[in-house]
Amino acid sequence: MTDSRARRWATTSARLVVGTGIAAAAVVAVGAGIAAPWPSLSAEPVMVSATPTPSAATVVCDGPILALGRTIEDSSAISIAAGQSVVSGPSTTAAETASVTGPAGAEPVALSADPSGGVRAELAASGSASLADADLAGFAASSCTTPLMESWLVGGATTTGSNDLVVVSNPGDVAATVQLTVYGVDGPQLPPGGSNRVVAAGSQVVIPLAGLLLGEESPVVRVTSSGAPVRASLQASLARALTPGGVDQVGALAAASPRQVMPGVSVVSEPDGANSATIVRLLAPVGDAEATVTIASVDGSAPARTSTVPLAAGLPSSLAYDDLEPGRYTVTVDASVPVVAGTFQATGFGEGDDFAWYTSAPEISTASVFAVPDGAGAALTIANAATEAATVTLVDTTVGGSTTLSVAAGGSTTAPVSPGSVYRLEPSAPVHAGVDFASESAIASFVVWAADAAAPALTVYP
């Protein structure tokens, strides 16, 4: 090997050794860097907690008793048969009357109260009406309630002698489009008369139930709305031959539920084996079910009666009772799927008799107010469907004073209330409550609705 080649070989070898060393050092440095703790930077996300401003409290009443077909020239004409007397409050709430226009010049009362001090206003109203005409007679009482996007009407019929009306009110500033689905012997149907019914802002629409589905003994109506919430109710009336058999304004249920509670069903006459004065109507809108119906006297004077009935999805079913002794009862329905329910009760089946539909009462867990309209034999019935006892403080906001009521687990209690007064119901645990009126020839009922819960605070991430 020459000296020149030796020098090149030595130089190349040295470069290789140095390069290998540098690469190895780089690998070691990178590994050490990965293993070593790196500096970190963290920051809490920017967030703002905001409580929504409460909206105005709005309630809408049924309005007057309406008559259908009194005009010979127009059998479909609607007229006013009797005005409705309304009680509202508390007096500390500054409520304003909203504009709602009904048929034949009827103007059902709609009340609205703005929040005060960032708190939603307390507002309650109810109304009653009575009449004794040749074609329409009886006593009706109903609560003025908040408009809903969905309502269930359990009651009435479209058979001979029934002349029932679905009443839909829109107190808002935007038109509502309403769908009325009627459940009968053939399941749910959306009849042409109940499809895409437009209820203009500030107006009331009245739809004959027989015009939706004729010949139904046990119909149930689901009212759904888009565009704006509406208040739906049912005016039911009966005539036996040429004798009027009563009238009622039936409130709506907000939703189906596996448990339905109807407090304060008043039986005022002795059992009549020839007729069923008490009928419980049931519907499982979606899915077959088994329902257990329990009828328990409020004062515990009679043992509770329990019946089990299978329910086919979408088909109304009824249970009849013809031997209940006079007194107040709580009817409870427990089912394996969500159901809707209502209870029919009649004072009798002759001239001068009346009937009422008792609607399922929602659960009340917060202080809520209700108003008592004119009527004989007014009483509040409170039912406790839970497994622990509850106490309820009943405050008369009109004349002052309060009463504390104890409600046993699974039991009920009743207390008289004064027409013209507005009460605040303050429960220690969730309960169900209803106001009923009972005399020998006049009965009516409506449920106490829970106050709207305050909207929880929202966390906003800008």
Side-chain angles (χ1 to χ4, degrees), residues 116-127:
S116 176
V119 178
R120 187 177 175 87
E122 287 188 318
L123 180 60
S126 62

Side-chain angles (χ1 to χ4, degrees), residues 54-459:
S55 59
T58 301
V59 296
V60 186
C61 305
D62 278 316
I65 299 292
L66 303 173
L68 177 66
R70 283 186 168 180
T71 304
I72 297 177
E73 294 78 13
D74 186 359
S75 61
S76 63
I78 294 173
S79 57
I80 297 175
Q84 184 183 51
S85 174
V86 175
V87 174
S88 63
S91 59
T92 54
T93 298
E96 297 182 355
T97 302
S99 176
V100 177
T101 302
E107 295 184 355
V109 174
L111 299 170
S112 181
D114 292 328
S116 176
V119 178
R120 187 177 175 87
E122 287 188 318
L123 180 60
S126 62
S128 62
S130 61
L131 71 168
D133 296 342
D135 61 337
L136 197 61
F139 172 74
S142 60
S143 178
C144 309
T145 57
T146 301
L148 302 169
M149 301 303 291
E150 179 183 59
S151 305
W152 291 86
L153 301 174
V154 183
T158 60
T159 50
T160 302
S162 299
N163 201 3
D164 299 348
L165 305 171
V166 178
V167 182
V168 183
S169 302
N170 176 13
D173 299 325
V174 178
T177 302
V178 174
Q179 314 291 339
L180 287 83
T181 304
V182 184
Y183 293 77
V185 294
D186 295 322
Q189 298 185 46
L190 185 61
S195 178
N196 295 322
R197 294 296 299 257
V198 176
V199 185
S203 71
Q204 183 184 78
V205 172
V206 178
I207 306 166
L209 184 58
L212 298 176
L213 202 61
L214 188 62
E216 290 291 339
E217 293 185 354
S218 303
V220 174
V221 181
R222 180 189 181 209
V223 182
T224 56
S225 177
S226 61
V230 297
R231 193 234 188 224
S233 64
L234 176 72
Q235 180 185 302
S237 62
L238 282 174
R240 300 179 179 93
L242 299 178
T243 302
V247 66
D248 195 23
Q249 291 175 317
V250 187
L253 287 75
S257 172
R259 169 169 287 174
Q260 301 288 357
V261 180
M262 290 146 279
V265 176
S266 290
V267 177
V268 299
S269 59
E270 294 293 334
D272 178 2
N275 298 283
S276 297
T278 307
I279 300 173
V280 180
R281 184 175 298 178
L282 306 164
L283 170 70
V286 181
D288 296 343
E290 185 174 83
T292 299
V293 179
T294 303
I295 300 181
S297 61
V298 172
D299 61 5
S301 60
R305 302 177 56 171
T306 301
S307 304
T308 301
V309 57
L311 301 177
L315 299 179
S317 182
S318 297
L319 286 176
Y321 301 85
D322 57 11
D323 56 353
L324 293 179
E325 295 293 333
R328 280 190 173 88
Y329 296 83
T330 292
V331 179
T332 304
V333 178
D334 289 294
S336 54
V337 301
V339 297
V340 295
T343 300
F344 170 87
Q345 181 64 45
T347 62
F349 302 93
E351 185 175 357
D353 280 311
D354 195 18
F355 72 88
W357 279 97
Y358 295 79
T359 304
S360 183
E363 189 177 83
I364 303 172
S365 57
T366 60
S368 304
V369 292
F370 64 93
V372 183
D374 293 336
L380 171 73
T381 300
I382 303 170
N384 177 12
T387 56
E388 296 182 359
T391 59
V392 175
T393 301
L394 188 62
V395 180
D396 189 332
T397 69
T398 303
V399 301
S402 64
T403 304
T404 300
L405 305 171
S406 298
V407 192
S412 303
T413 190
T414 188
V417 288
S418 301
S421 286
V422 176
Y423 292 87
R424 181 182 297 108
L425 189 153
E426 302 172 352
S428 65
V431 295
H432 306 260
V435 176
D436 77 281
F437 302 81
S439 65
E440 291 184 358
S441 59
I443 55 175
S445 172
F446 59 83
V447 302
V448 177
W449 285 77
D452 291 337
L458 302 175
T459 300

